[in-house]
Amino acid sequence: MMVQDHSSPKPSKPLFMKHKVSRYSETKNLDFSTWVSENSVKLFVVSLLTISVAALFYLRTSSVPTTLLCFQNSHQSQPQKPKLPKLDLDSVQPIVDKSSPFSSFHSEQWIIVSVSDYPSGPLQSLVRLKGWQVLAIGNSRTPKDWNLKGAIYLSLEQQASLGFRVTDFLPYDSYVRKSVGYLFAIQHGAKRIFDADDRGEVIAGDLGKHFDLELDGAAAKQQRILQYSLEIENKTVVNPYIHFGQRSVWPRGLPLESVGFVNHEEFYTEVSGGRQYIQQGISNGLPDVDSVFYSTRKVGSEALDIIFDEHAPKVALPQSLMVPINSFNTLFHYNAFWSLMLPVSVSTMASDVLRGYWAQRLLWEIGGFVVVYPPSVHRDDKVEAYPFSEEKDLHVNVGRLIKFLVSWRSEKQGLYEKILELSHTMALEGFWSENDVKFTAAWLHDLAAVGYQQPRLMAVQLDLQKATVQHGDKKEFVPRKLPSVHLGVEESGTVNYEIGNLIRWRKNFGNVVLIMFVAGPVQQTALEWRLLYGRVFKTVVILSTQADADLAVEQGQLDQVYKYLPRILERFNSMEGFLFLQDNTVLNYWNLLQADKSKLWIANKVPTSRNMINGKDSSWFVKQAELVKKVVSTMPVHLQVNYKESGPTDQSIALCGSEVFYVPRRFVQDFVDLVDLVGDLDIHQKIAVPMFFMAMDLPQNFDTLLNKMVYKTGASSTNSLKLYSAQVPAVHPLAVSTESEFIKLIRLMAAGDPLLMELV
């Protein structure tokens, strides 16, 4: 964004400045022009003819009676809520493979891949795995002459001939067509399905060395598996890469607000084996990372080659705790085959992740759980850009989805009924569309048609109070700290100190909500701001002039942004306080530890110039003073007394650069009440905020730390990075509107938080 130039500051003026007002007004001339088209009649005739031709074509090709045209509503119908389909499994007719050349073939172990190009080297290696049958699923981009000896290939035409209901919902050019492959494998005797892609090569050429293929024997059920603990309050998702030695890497599907949690588990517990129905493997080389990681961690065109700890023990997820699951290195056992369905209404890179979270919640209903295993495949990085647009459903919704799933409860008596109910509820909540509800019903009917037997339900005890883990039940494991060579540097021993700092900052601000107004292009910077500050604060709420649902950006107007804060604060009623920040101001959070979070923070004593509100004349200030006087007269006694004791008279108003301020929990209700008193009055942000602060408390009681910030009113936005200092609590102005500028800023901020270098 562009920062307006201001005149040089006067050292003797405080930021809370009493502005004398005089009464005069200026007149403005408004010039309106009109335009009347000379061809309006012709355009009307042409439009009428076009509509008539289209209507005639519609009637000739449609079975809709012509009389319907006379009864069209003049208004657009309102969108209806997704309907819950009915399951009629008893009347489902078996689907038997009679059309494919493999109708008599049976195998218990299948590898399912989607193919869009000729067979790759890793895919040819998968075909050579003993005891496993590779099934390749084609799409509209697959070469017509695709062939690989030892693999079964299903073209679009062959998929359509199998008679599965789900094919009606599948896009032609997507890997989600693997859903046909899953059904085909189940139909042909599958007991285990390895969900893979054609880029992963199994390490040592043996899946049995990496996963638990047998779950029914006594040995399998007697083994003890390390398990994450639930000691941390409200913890719902984990980054498994930390456990396997790479704490600076995060998987696709991990909420960005969780990226900053880089400390390992204080302790683990244990669980008996035999019910790890979904087994997620780690990938060396190019692991499953999102576009944010991929686009910010690569050094030029150098391929990523990340190595995880192969000696770290596998680790299980208890009920109420989730982990991202993908579709290219995951083993599904028979009892979890119902969970293989890939959603069709969400973006491509979100489909398998949303499936994974959906599946984990339902897995608890049958007593199953997910286990994450050490590296089992190696995937080469083809140095291809990851499109953010394909992941939009992840970054926007995944955090909310996890919280929803953990709290979801069902009274249904059968697994399939619970599955359909959850899919329907997720559509109502906006996580996917009604098309996926219908797709779920088709999937369940197809499962019944191919002879799949649904598992029995088990009691779920999610609402019981978590028992305290006894000392004897605690299991210790300290993950290795493998070199982060993907960052272009080797980590030194100072990393422990740096991570310790990050933990301290998170502990201090972990219950503080950051509300940020972004005046610049949110498409360029919204995710970057969340990634930067989300490591430290409870959450980052972003406001901008235009809302953007894909980026979870809410609408607000900067001149009166305070009016949008109460509705946000209602969502976080257990927070310790909220911090407001404008995107032309950079917050050095490491210098805020000494600030008192029980007090108000604002830069009320930073020298500044008189022209704080650009383009406003004296008559405007007169009107603002009148509005302030009106609000003050309606304040309850405790707020009015504070305000009048602070000093402003009826002929003066306080101005304040309100680019950054903090309100603790104990003053939040006063803040909300003051906003309500303003109502529809047009009071500017830089006048309303200081009025609120002087009403809530006396200035001498404010915390003074923000008064040490760098505040330059005459600085040019093009050279604003030169103002930056890591030794102050905040810097203003500092404009960041592009990714390259953001990277430059991060490198400067790394002087105070060296771990930030992992973001560039």
Side-chain angles (χ1 to χ4, degrees):
M1 64 174 286
M2 298 297 292
V3 179
Q4 298 291 334
D5 292 341
H6 300 278
S7 58
S8 301
K10 297 180 181 180
S12 60
K13 297 289 185 180
L15 196 55
F16 271 161
M17 185 177 68
K18 299 174 185 176
H19 189 101
K20 293 291 183 180
V21 296
S22 60
R23 299 179 181 274
Y24 73 93
S25 62
E26 297 178 351
T27 60
K28 295 183 180 180
N29 295 322
L30 299 177
D31 183 24
F32 297 93
S33 61
T34 60
W35 176 82
V36 179
S37 173
E38 297 178 353
N39 300 307
S40 59
V41 175
K42 295 179 182 179
L43 290 172
F44 175 78
V45 173
V46 171
S47 300
L48 184 60
L49 288 173
T50 303
I51 294 171
S52 300
V53 171
L56 180 61
F57 176 80
Y58 175 78
L59 291 174
R60 289 175 61 90
T61 58
S62 173
S63 61
V64 179
T66 57
T67 54
L68 288 180
L69 292 177
C70 302
F71 299 96
Q72 294 295 327
N73 291 328
S74 60
H75 63 277
Q76 186 176 1
S77 61
Q78 295 296 321
Q80 296 182 346
K81 292 183 178 180
K83 296 181 180 179
L84 180 65
K86 292 183 178 180
L87 289 178
D88 189 10
L89 301 179
D90 294 334
S91 63
V92 170
Q93 297 298 314
I95 298 178
V96 181
D97 180 11
K98 297 180 180 179
S99 60
S100 78
F102 318 102
S103 57
S104 62
F105 178 80
H106 279 71
S107 176
E108 291 189 352
Q109 300 188 142
W110 291 75
I111 299 174
I112 314 295
V113 297
S114 173
V115 292
S116 299
D117 205 343
Y118 289 106
S120 63
L123 181 55
Q124 296 177 42
S125 297
L126 287 177
V127 172
R128 293 193 291 269
L129 295 183
K130 294 182 178 180
W132 291 86
Q133 176 58 52
V134 171
L135 174 60
I137 304 300
N139 55 59
S140 59
R141 295 173 293 166
T142 311
K144 296 295 184 182
D145 58 345
W146 197 96
N147 183 63
L148 177 60
K149 184 178 180 180
I152 295 176
Y153 170 65
L154 295 180
S155 65
L156 285 176
E157 295 75 15
Q158 289 173 310
Q159 296 170 36
S161 68
L162 294 174
F164 297 142
R165 297 166 180 80
V166 297
T167 54
D168 294 337
F169 299 88
L170 300 175
Y172 289 105
D173 62 347
S174 173
Y175 79 94
V176 302
R177 299 195 68 85
K178 291 170 76 173
S179 292
V180 173
Y182 305 142
L183 291 169
F184 184 89
I186 297 170
Q187 184 184 52
H188 289 262
K191 300 299 181 185
R192 287 168 287 278
I193 292 178
F194 182 58
D195 209 6
D197 70 356
D198 61 355
R199 296 172 63 178
E201 189 159 354
V202 177
I203 298 173
D206 187 354
L207 287 172
K209 291 183 178 180
H210 304 289
F211 296 102
D212 293 318
L213 302 184
E214 297 296 335
L215 299 183
D216 294 332
K221 296 180 179 180
Q222 291 173 4
Q223 70 165 320
R224 301 294 290 171
I225 302 174
L226 208 63
Q227 179 178 251
Y228 286 103
S229 74
L230 292 172
E231 283 294 291
I232 300 179
E233 191 73 20
N234 298 323
K235 184 178 181 180
T236 56
V237 65
V238 295
N239 177 359
Y241 292 170
I242 298 173
H243 179 85
F244 294 97
Q246 290 287 2
R247 62 200 176 284
S248 60
V249 188
W250 65 88
R252 177 173 54 95
L254 186 75
L256 289 181
E257 59 265 28
S258 299
V259 169
F261 293 99
V262 297
N263 52 310
H264 64 78
E265 303 295 307
E266 293 185 10
F267 64 89
Y268 296 78
T269 58
E270 284 187 337
V271 64
S272 297
R275 291 177 290 120
Q276 58 270 39
Y277 301 138
I278 299 179
Q279 303 177 12
Q280 177 64 64
I282 300 291
S283 301
N284 280 340
L286 175 62
D288 186 20
V289 294
D290 61 22
S291 60
V292 176
F293 181 94
Y294 194 82
S295 61
T296 58
R297 299 303 184 90
K298 290 174 63 66
V299 181
S301 60
E302 181 181 349
L304 289 178
D305 188 13
I306 302 174
I307 303 300
F308 293 88
D309 184 7
E310 62 180 331
H311 301 294
K314 59 192 176 189
V315 58
L317 281 296
Q319 292 181 1
S320 299
L321 195 58
M322 293 187 171
V323 68
I325 295 175
N326 60 50
S327 61
F328 55 75
N329 186 16
T330 312
L331 181 70
F332 291 78
H333 280 266
Y334 185 89
N335 278 356
F337 282 177
W338 50 266
S339 69
L340 283 162
M341 178 196 83
L342 286 165
V344 296
S345 67
V346 296
S347 53
T348 305
M349 299 299 287
S351 181
D352 57 344
V353 174
L354 266 63
R355 173 188 74 173
Y357 286 126
W358 168 86
Q360 286 175 79
R361 176 58 190 88
L362 291 164
L363 198 63
W364 302 341
E365 301 289 334
I366 62 172
F369 54 87
V370 174
V371 170
V372 185
Y373 291 73
S376 51
V377 303
H378 187 282
R379 301 172 74 239
D380 289 330
D381 182 7
K382 295 184 178 180
V383 198
E384 297 174 350
Y386 275 44
F388 170 77
S389 61
E390 294 296 332
E391 295 182 352
K392 62 181 181 180
D393 295 308
L394 291 182
H395 302 300
V396 173
N397 284 326
V398 69
R400 185 170 68 91
L401 172 63
I402 294 170
K403 293 178 181 178
F404 161 77
L405 290 172
V406 171
S407 63
W408 178 77
R409 301 292 183 269
S410 173
E411 300 297 328
K412 299 294 184 181
Q413 300 301 310
L415 176 61
Y416 281 9
E417 287 75 15
K418 288 179 181 286
I419 291 174
L420 189 59
E421 181 186 33
L422 178 55
S423 292
H424 178 250
T425 309
M426 285 177 60
L428 293 175
E429 294 290 330
F431 297 115
W432 55 36
S433 78
E434 184 177 11
N435 208 35
D436 270 316
V437 183
K438 297 176 180 177
F439 181 59
T440 303
W443 167 259
L444 295 175
H445 282 105
D446 281 341
L447 283 176
V450 296
Y452 178 70
Q453 300 296 315
Q454 59 174 304
R456 291 180 298 177
L457 296 177
M458 292 185 64
V460 180
Q461 299 179 338
L462 297 175
D463 296 319
L464 295 181
Q465 186 175 1
K466 298 180 179 65
T468 302
V469 179
Q470 301 300 320
H471 179 74
D473 296 327
K474 295 181 179 180
K475 305 299 177 183
E476 292 187 1
F477 171 73
V478 179
R480 296 175 60 192
K481 298 174 182 177
L482 298 181
S484 295
V485 294
H486 57 285
L487 303 177
V489 294
E490 296 282 345
E491 290 182 345
S492 65
T494 60
V495 74
N496 289 332
Y497 173 76
E498 295 163 1
I499 291 179
N501 279 337
L502 183 59
I503 294 172
R504 282 199 303 134
W505 301 330
R506 179 73 190 188
K507 184 177 181 180
N508 193 68
F509 298 111
N511 201 27
V512 173
V513 174
L514 178 65
I515 303 174
M516 191 171 186
F517 186 91
V518 176
V522 293
Q523 293 80 6
Q524 299 293 328
T525 59
L527 282 176
E528 284 81 355
W529 289 125
R530 279 202 178 94
L531 187 59
L532 170 62
Y533 293 126
R535 302 158 65 248
V536 176
F537 293 94
K538 177 183 180 69
T539 192
V540 179
V541 179
I542 293 183
L543 298 170
S544 189
T545 305
Q546 296 294 328
D548 190 323
D550 290 342
L551 296 173
V553 174
E554 303 178 30
Q555 193 269 338
Q557 296 298 325
L558 179 58
D559 288 353
Q560 296 184 8
V561 71
Y562 62 91
K563 293 185 178 181
Y564 298 86
L565 302 187
R567 61 180 170 83
I568 297 175
L569 301 180
E570 289 179 0
R571 307 202 300 258
F572 302 99
N573 51 21
S574 63
M575 65 179 179
E576 192 173 358
F578 77 90
L579 183 67
F580 176 82
L581 182 68
Q582 195 175 328
D583 69 337
N584 64 354
T585 304
V586 173
L587 193 69
N588 292 335
Y589 43 82
W590 52 88
N591 291 325
L592 297 178
L593 291 179
Q594 302 305 317
D596 189 341
K597 296 200 300 296
S598 67
K599 294 184 177 182
L600 295 166
W601 307 354
I602 198 165
N604 62 310
K605 293 184 179 180
V606 175
T608 187
S609 66
R610 182 176 184 274
N611 297 323
M612 289 191 57
I613 304 179
N614 196 49
K616 304 299 183 182
D617 57 29
S618 297
S619 64
W620 182 86
F621 284 105
V622 169
K623 294 178 181 178
Q624 290 288 295
E626 292 174 349
L627 296 177
V628 168
K629 182 179 178 181
K630 183 176 182 179
V631 173
V632 172
S633 68
T634 63
M635 289 181 182
V637 59
H638 68 289
L639 298 177
Q640 189 175 130
V641 169
N642 282 342
Y643 181 83
K644 291 183 176 180
E645 189 174 339
S646 298
T649 66
D650 291 344
Q651 281 70 44
S652 65
I653 53 177
L655 297 179
C656 174
S658 54
E659 291 81 8
V660 54
F661 60 85
Y662 169 80
V663 177
R665 174 77 253 170
R666 67 190 183 103
F667 288 120
V668 166
Q669 189 57 53
D670 285 341
F671 186 93
V672 172
D673 292 342
L674 286 163
V675 174
D676 186 58
L677 290 178
V678 172
D680 296 331
L681 299 180
D682 189 14
I683 302 181
H684 195 279
Q685 167 92 352
K686 292 184 178 180
I687 293 175
V689 169
M691 175 181 68
F692 293 171
F693 269 61
M694 289 186 292
M696 290 187 290
D697 204 358
L698 299 177
Q700 58 263 35
N701 295 330
F702 297 171
D703 189 276
T704 61
L705 187 64
L706 285 181
N707 291 324
K708 299 177 182 179
M709 70 179 289
V710 172
Y711 196 102
K712 301 291 184 181
T713 56
S716 170
S717 62
T718 57
N719 298 315
S720 59
L721 286 173
K722 295 181 180 180
L723 295 176
Y724 182 77
S725 169
Q727 310 305 316
V728 297
V731 179
H732 171 85
L734 206 161
V736 176
S737 59
T738 65
E739 184 177 334
S740 61
E741 291 175 349
F742 188 84
I743 291 175
K744 292 178 182 178
L745 171 63
I746 291 299
R747 287 172 176 161
L748 292 174
M749 294 181 70
D753 181 1
L755 285 179
L756 285 176
M757 287 305 295
E758 298 186 0
L759 302 182
V760 300

